[in-house]
Amino acid sequence: MPDVKHFDPEAVLDSAEELFWRRGVTSTGVRDIVSATGVNRSSLYATFGGKRELYVAALRRYADRRSGPVFRRLAEDDRGLPAIADFFRALIRARCSGEHARWGCLVTNAHAGPEQDDPDIRSVLQDHHDRLRAAMCAALERARATGGLRPDIVPATSADVLALLAYGVNLRSRAGASPEALDETVTAVLASLATRPEEIR
Amino acid sequence: MPDVKHFDPEAVLDSAEELFWRRGVTSTGVRDIVSATGVNRSSLYATFGGKRELYVAALRRYADRRSGPVFRRLAEDDRGLPAIADFFRALIRARCSGEHARWGCLVTNAHAGPEQDDPDIRSVLQDHHDRLRAAMCAALERARATGGLRPDIVPATSADVLALLAYGVNLRSRAGASPEALDETVTAVLASLATRPEEIR
DNA sequence: GCTAACTTGGAACGACCATTCCAAGATGGC
DNA sequence: GCCATCTTGGAATGGTCGTTCCAAGTTAGC
């Protein structure tokens, strides 16, 4: 039997995800991942393939382990509009303060860079977008079921609006947009959906 | 008296803007600008300083000559909401088809990359954002003046919403979002602002 | 036509990049 | 203890990056 890995690939992906997220794909070199993890170049290449594969894996990991649970929680929340309001409040808080302040969203950032030409990456972006829309749509349909949605609102269409709004928040938070202003902006959109705007927060 | 420049700096900036826009800052090398313009390295450095300065100048140029006129037209348009609808229609058309299809917006792209750490670049982004918001706000106030805006709408706040929406359009268009879907999304937002939603297009 | 001032061409520099290669080391079954 | 098999360390490769430097060329006034 052969030798066994002397490191944890999952931990390496965690580090890679953080580096790609914080500093971007092009600004993050393999040497940065080497020095952040302590794992040797050769082991990295033997395990993952190369920088591209490392990035794709980190991006998938981000979509699965960061966005995924949040989207799921949103989709399964019975409250409708308040669930969406909570989603955005948490989003804005995460983007503007704490450990990841001003990092934006790894998937949103990927949209704007040259990495999005890659078919594998493109499919992650599309998948992420579809999941976000679906979660928003589910929450809106719950709002409709409880009469919280204005009659002229079409959940699927407004889900697209809210998804684009989330991208806007992710993007502008990187430039230092104030959380209060973002909150107010989001609240205005939610108010336009609600039967009783005063109940959304 | 000294020798005089053998090339047009403005034309160089045009080329640089196009390259940075299409392929991104990090993927565009000085050599690319050299071969696109035919201007020698030394002349580039003597005239502009370096890559960073070239990028900042190209970004400023984009904001002034691409976004500027569009924002001005929007702000000066008397029609209110139809002016905003036209703005978005033209935006979506430009982002999804024609010469610049899938390039997104140079300023929007700058938000997501590592270039936004630079104070000079950051100030261009902020300025661009403020101008966009102001133009939207002006158009909304005209809508209000003609009774086209729902009474509960606050122009300044909805201007922020529309600005974030524009960033979302810019971003998603790069990933290949369909112009029809984007149109529908934008129309839904405008309908939520209008006293008579059926009149916005 | 001379000269001072500036531009231009092209080579050269040093740093960094992703990737490869190979010898040395470690492992688990026999 | 041996060996096949994989991992690991570290040097090396070939390329590209932004930038610099200097000699040669070009210009406009005198």
Side-chain angles (χ1 to χ4, degrees):
Chain A
M1 270 286 175
D3 194 1
V4 90
K5 264 185 228 306
H6 298 181
F7 67 95
D8 177 16
E10 298 290 308
V12 169
L13 282 184
D14 276 336
S15 283
E17 177 196 64
E18 177 178 322
L19 284 168
F20 286 136
W21 188 9
R22 177 157 48 100
R23 318 210 323 208
V25 200
T26 46
S27 302
T28 302
V30 178
R31 72 175 289 126
D32 296 324
I33 300 172
V34 167
S35 50
T37 57
V39 174
N40 195 272
R41 265 180 170 70
S42 309
S43 311
L44 244 46
Y45 278 92
T47 307
F48 298 102
K51 184 185 177 179
R52 196 196 79 95
E53 288 79 10
L54 253 166
Y55 176 67
V56 173
L59 189 64
R60 289 218 175 93
R61 194 176 173 82
Y62 182 96
D64 286 348
R65 325 234 319 197
R66 303 245 177 212
S67 303
V70 178
F71 293 174
R72 202 169 312 119
R73 212 172 306 139
L74 173 60
E76 291 170 358
D77 196 310
D78 285 330
R79 296 171 300 154
L81 287 183
I84 299 178
D86 278 356
F87 167 88
F88 275 105
R89 261 193 292 272
L91 182 72
I92 292 168
R93 168 177 285 271
R95 297 294 181 232
C96 298
S97 58
E99 192 187 356
H100 308 116
R102 297 231 187 174
W103 292 16
C105 157
L106 183 58
V107 176
T108 303
N109 296 346
H111 276 83
E115 54 267 33
Q116 62 102 23
D117 299 342
D118 190 297
D120 292 337
I121 293 173
R122 181 82 60 85
S123 92
V124 176
L125 303 196
Q126 190 58 48
D127 198 58
H128 184 270
H129 185 60
D130 292 339
R131 283 185 215 267
L132 172 56
R133 284 170 56 206
M136 287 290 186
C137 196
L140 287 170
E141 278 163 356
R142 289 180 197 258
R144 158 97 348 126
T146 58
L149 224 54
R150 293 196 190 183
D152 55 331
I153 295 297
V154 180
T157 306
S158 288
D160 287 344
V161 172
L162 294 171
L164 287 196
L165 187 66
Y167 290 124
V169 167
N170 290 336
L171 211 70
R172 280 297 304 168
S173 68
R174 276 181 62 92
S178 91
E180 293 79 16
L182 292 174
D183 261 322
E184 195 180 343
T185 307
V186 167
T187 302
V189 175
L190 296 186
S192 75
L193 303 174
T195 317
R196 294 170 297 277
E198 64 279 6
E199 288 177 16
I200 55 174
R201 60 163 60 233
Chain B
M1 271 286 176
D3 193 1
V4 90
K5 263 185 230 306
H6 299 180
F7 67 96
D8 178 16
E10 297 290 307
V12 169
L13 281 185
D14 276 336
S15 283
E17 179 196 64
E18 176 178 322
L19 285 169
F20 287 135
W21 189 6
R22 176 157 48 100
R23 318 209 323 207
V25 200
T26 47
S27 303
T28 302
V30 178
R31 70 176 291 123
D32 296 324
I33 300 171
V34 167
S35 51
T37 58
V39 175
N40 195 273
R41 265 180 171 69
S42 307
S43 311
L44 244 46
Y45 277 91
T47 307
F48 299 101
K51 184 185 177 180
R52 195 197 80 95
E53 288 79 10
L54 253 166
Y55 176 69
V56 173
L59 189 65
R60 288 217 175 94
R61 194 176 173 82
Y62 181 97
D64 286 348
R65 325 231 324 192
R66 302 245 177 212
S67 303
V70 178
F71 293 174
R72 203 170 312 119
R73 213 171 306 139
L74 172 60
E76 291 170 358
D77 196 310
D78 285 330
R79 295 172 299 153
L81 287 183
I84 300 178
D86 278 357
F87 167 88
F88 275 106
R89 260 192 292 272
L91 182 72
I92 292 168
R93 167 176 286 273
R95 297 295 182 230
C96 298
S97 58
E99 192 186 357
H100 307 115
R102 297 231 185 174
W103 292 16
C105 158
L106 183 59
V107 177
T108 304
N109 296 346
H111 276 82
E115 54 267 34
Q116 61 102 24
D117 299 342
D118 189 297
D120 293 336
I121 293 174
R122 181 81 61 85
S123 91
V124 177
L125 303 195
Q126 189 58 48
D127 199 58
H128 184 271
H129 185 62
D130 291 339
R131 282 185 215 267
L132 172 55
R133 284 170 55 206
M136 288 288 184
C137 195
L140 287 170
E141 277 163 356
R142 289 179 197 259
R144 156 98 349 125
T146 58
L149 224 53
R150 294 195 190 186
D152 55 331
I153 296 297
V154 180
T157 307
S158 288
D160 287 345
V161 171
L162 294 171
L164 287 196
L165 187 65
Y167 290 124
V169 167
N170 289 336
L171 211 70
R172 280 297 303 168
S173 67
R174 276 181 61 92
S178 91
E180 294 80 15
L182 292 173
D183 260 323
E184 196 181 341
T185 307
V186 167
T187 302
V189 175
L190 296 187
S192 76
L193 303 174
T195 318
R196 295 170 297 277
E198 64 281 6
E199 289 178 14
I200 54 175
R201 59 161 63 234

